[in-house]
Amino acid sequence: MKNTVAEIKHLKKSFGTKNVLKDISLKLEKGENLVVLGKSGSGKSVLIKCLVGLIQPDSGEVDLFGKEISELTNQELNVLRKKVGFLFQSAALYDSMTVRENLEFPLRDLPSADTTDTEALVRDALKNVGLEEAIDKMPSELSGGMIKRVGLARTLILKPDIILYDEPTTGLDPITSKEISKLILEVQQKYNTASIIITHDVPCARITANRILIIKEGVFIAEGTFDELSASEDEWIRSFFI
Amino acid sequence: MTNKSAIDEGAPSDQSVSINAVKAAFEEIGQMTRFTMRFFKEVLKPRYEFRALLKQSYIIGYKSFPLIAITGLIMGLVLTIQTRPTLASFGAESWLPGMVSLSIIREIGPVIAALIFAGKVGSGIGAELASMKVTEQIDAMEVSGLNPFKYLVVTRVLATTLMLPVLVIAADAVSLFGSYLAINLKGDISFQLFFSQAFAAITFTDVFPAIIKTFFFGFSVGIIGCYKGYNSVKGTEGVGAAANSAVVIGSLAVFITDMIAVQLTSLFT
Ligand SMILES: Nc1ncnc2c1ncn2[C@@H]1O[C@H](COP(=O)(O)OP(=O)(O)O)[C@@H](O)[C@H]1O
Ligand SMILES: [Mg+2]
């Protein structure tokens, strides 16, 4: 029954003498929300950047939709990337463009048939995140929570099969964090997307996770559901959930 | 004094430090060359980003025009005022328009405009791309399956290459006008007489190489600004460093290109 959309096998990555990822393996199944918990600096961002080929791993294998990305040409990789959404920690909105232009940007390379109604697509994506009125604003006019929402809308506009969230709630107040977490859950239910959610925010993990992996010193040290891990024997793991 | 022992201990490694610096410099040149090769590869491939190119040309050309025009005007004035006594001592004051316009067209106009351009546009491109890099906007374009090199780098380098020559011609014109004003400070010369004397001194072999080399100046400033920004290191200090080295290396590149251009020109004329 299982349907793996992304898989990482024995990934290693170091920067200089610093071994950031030592031996990382994971599988992402269709429709699941996988949360990766870890302290900051533990290599969470490096991990998901390896997954989309933004960072080249030193060794190990990355498969997207059954294809190993290191064997793809740039063009083939770009085709796959359009099926993977990436919400950056800072949301990475293009700050010289309006919200509308930000959302139109990922659409610009699609065959014209798909883009005939760009306007409707943009409005629809903004409606999904509850921000229709911000369409003509510049990113500098938006609050932190709105920026994350627009970032999410831009990620959703290509209707990706996989979404990678890099600390979606970091830097937001608890209430906005909760809203964003619920939005992530809504997206999963509405589009049946598979997601990896990188975070150190436990309330966010509680709301969104089907399964949690805990990363420490470059390896996964625990796996389980939220309830399993918060009742863990291991003190270090439990300390996360207090 | 307290540092003396530290310096002594450091003596053997001083050598390795300078060797590393040389190595780093060569690595940088290698990477810059690769970056430039990538530009030539991508510039020919569709899709062509005409709208982005127009926008960049507007930003780069139009917005640096006032600064370059003012500089040009002042250079024309100053150069004329400075040259006058020398010529006067030979009794050759009537040579003033011809001589000044020759220096402006051949050297002062292109080089001064290019240096101002490196300062304003080179640093602007360096800082802009660096902050896009630092805030992951370039990564965001890449993971959307788009080609940020094409959209950001190719358009900017084309815009600087095409706009600087236009700016230089404008700077030359304003500069000549400045020179006319300066001559009018003492004695009187009609507008017509000034320009007929100025253009009598200038030949095609003065103008043509001077304009051609400005394409290379513009290209250097653009590609160096883009390289520095696109490869900026993380953190806010990376943005400042990128802007700074874009100006320093860009200005240096203008001088080096100018030197090569002068050698080549003298070879063929
Ligand atoms: N491009 C890079 N060059 C050098 N070091 C890096 C780079 N990217 C990340 N690192 C280092 O890798 C470690 C993990 O970073 P990161 O994945 O961003 O952590 P986090 O888990 O907080 O997302 C950090 O110590 C960081 O300094
Ligand atoms: Mg991170």
Side-chain angles (χ1 to χ4, degrees):
Chain A
M1 271 320 286
K2 286 214 167 164
N3 196 344
T4 306
V5 287
E7 183 167 7
I8 291 176
K9 291 176 199 157
H10 305 294
L11 189 78
K12 292 192 183 67
K13 178 71 193 178
S14 41
F15 292 104
T17 55
K18 195 171 185 175
N19 299 321
V20 178
L21 301 177
K22 287 175 190 155
D23 184 6
I24 293 284
S25 298
L26 70 78
K27 271 188 185 182
L28 181 68
E29 311 294 343
K30 191 166 174 40
E32 82 166 330
N33 272 352
L34 173 64
V35 166
V36 176
L37 267 181
K39 291 198 302 186
S40 41
S42 55
K44 305 183 298 295
S45 299
V46 173
L47 171 64
I48 50 172
K49 283 180 182 170
C50 286
L51 197 55
V52 287
L54 275 179
I55 294 181
Q56 249 66 52
D58 298 334
S59 68
E61 203 181 307
V62 176
D63 292 346
L64 279 181
F65 308 106
K67 293 192 185 117
E68 198 194 328
I69 64 165
S70 64
E71 288 169 358
L72 300 176
T73 64
N74 261 341
Q75 231 164 358
E76 290 168 327
L77 181 60
N78 280 343
V79 171
L80 284 191
R81 277 171 168 171
K82 289 202 185 290
K83 298 203 275 176
V84 181
F86 198 123
L87 182 60
F88 286 88
Q89 189 165 342
S90 58
L93 296 187
Y94 307 127
D95 47 25
S96 60
M97 303 182 196
T98 64
V99 168
R100 181 202 304 272
E101 289 164 338
N102 260 282
L103 268 69
E104 283 170 351
F105 202 81
L107 300 170
R108 64 208 313 275
D109 259 7
L110 295 183
S112 51
D114 294 345
T115 56
T116 40
D117 213 354
T118 317
E119 172 82 17
L121 278 175
V122 168
R123 286 198 180 276
D124 197 44
L126 282 175
K127 201 163 95 190
N128 276 333
V129 297
L131 267 185
E132 271 176 300
E133 76 281 2
I135 188 161
D136 287 315
K137 292 217 161 87
M138 296 300 286
S140 55
E141 301 171 71
L142 305 176
S143 70
M146 289 161 91
I147 285 174
K148 280 277 159 74
R149 282 162 191 268
V150 174
L152 184 55
R154 191 179 69 185
T155 308
L156 291 175
I157 202 160
L158 286 173
K159 304 253 166 7
D161 296 317
I162 301 176
I163 304 180
L164 308 172
Y165 297 92
D166 193 351
E167 308 206 6
T169 59
T170 301
L172 301 178
D173 61 87
I175 295 172
T176 313
S177 292
K178 205 167 165 187
E179 285 169 8
I180 298 284
S181 304
K182 287 192 173 146
L183 208 52
I184 293 173
L185 198 62
E186 261 174 48
V187 167
Q188 178 201 19
Q189 285 157 358
K190 196 163 168 187
Y191 300 107
N192 194 28
T193 47
S195 303
I196 297 181
I197 300 147
I198 301 284
T199 191
H200 51 70
D201 177 24
V202 171
C204 169
R206 177 170 40 227
I207 295 172
T208 56
N210 299 122
R211 184 159 64 102
I212 298 177
L213 285 166
I214 296 186
I215 187 172
K216 185 187 182 188
E217 284 160 15
V219 291
F220 288 132
I221 57 161
E223 175 176 0
T225 63
F226 186 87
D227 294 334
E228 283 163 19
L229 290 177
S230 53
S232 166
E233 306 272 288
D234 188 309
E235 194 152 345
W236 191 87
I237 294 175
R238 231 177 28 247
S239 71
F240 252 106
F241 295 88
I242 302 169
Chain B
M1 289 301 117
T2 46
N3 279 341
K4 193 172 187 313
S5 67
I7 289 170
D8 282 346
E9 271 167 34
S13 69
D14 267 3
Q15 228 167 4
S16 71
V17 165
S18 62
I19 286 173
N20 280 343
V22 171
K23 238 169 84 180
F26 274 106
E27 253 163 41
E28 177 99 358
I29 292 172
Q31 272 172 6
M32 224 182 265
T33 311
R34 276 234 307 268
F35 193 80
T36 311
M37 300 305 275
R38 185 166 173 202
F39 168 82
F40 285 112
K41 219 174 75 191
E42 306 242 8
V43 73
L44 298 172
K45 270 194 312 197
R47 96 190 235 156
Y48 304 111
E49 302 279 358
F50 285 119
R51 269 185 58 195
L53 175 61
L54 272 180
K55 186 176 162 195
Q56 286 305 320
S57 300
Y58 169 78
I59 293 171
I60 286 168
Y62 182 75
K63 296 212 166 150
S64 17
F65 175 74
L67 189 62
I68 286 182
I70 290 171
T71 320
L73 184 74
I74 294 173
M75 285 316 298
L77 279 164
V78 170
L79 198 64
T80 310
I81 296 168
Q82 298 273 38
T83 313
R84 186 200 291 271
T86 321
L87 284 184
S89 69
F90 291 108
E93 255 184 294
S94 62
W95 270 80
L96 202 47
M99 189 148 162
V100 169
S101 58
L102 208 56
S103 349
I104 287 171
I105 302 276
R106 282 174 70 151
E107 200 55 40
I108 308 286
V111 171
I112 295 290
L115 289 178
I116 299 281
F117 194 72
K120 181 163 167 61
V121 174
S123 66
I125 290 176
E128 188 190 9
L129 292 194
S131 78
M132 288 188 77
K133 171 88 180 184
V134 169
T135 56
E136 299 179 312
Q137 292 174 50
I138 293 181
D139 285 346
M141 284 187 186
E142 195 141 355
V143 293
S144 320
L146 300 165
N147 185 346
F149 192 96
K150 184 130 203 149
Y151 183 76
L152 299 172
V153 175
V154 170
T155 52
R156 280 170 178 74
V157 175
L158 281 181
T160 57
T161 310
L162 298 175
M163 282 300 109
L164 184 60
V166 177
L167 287 169
V168 165
I169 290 171
D172 285 351
V174 177
S175 230
L176 288 182
F177 182 68
S179 171
Y180 164 75
L181 289 183
I183 291 178
N184 257 335
L185 289 179
K186 276 189 183 178
D188 216 7
I189 185 169
S190 77
F191 202 66
Q192 258 172 330
L193 181 60
F194 172 83
F195 277 95
S196 69
Q197 284 190 2
F199 287 121
I202 301 166
T203 63
F204 179 73
T205 49
D206 297 316
V207 177
F208 186 66
I211 297 300
I212 292 298
K213 72 184 176 187
T214 61
F215 283 96
F216 290 93
F217 292 170
F219 179 79
S220 308
V221 169
I223 198 98
I224 288 167
C226 286
Y227 170 79
K228 284 295 170 185
Y230 206 78
N231 295 299
S232 146
V233 289
K234 292 262 155 168
T236 39
E237 71 275 12
V239 177
N244 186 290
S245 49
V247 177
V248 173
I249 301 179
S251 310
L252 196 63
V254 166
F255 282 120
I256 293 173
T257 314
D258 192 42
M259 195 176 69
I260 296 170
V262 166
Q263 297 291 329
L264 285 179
T265 316
S266 67
L267 217 61
F268 290 111
T269 51

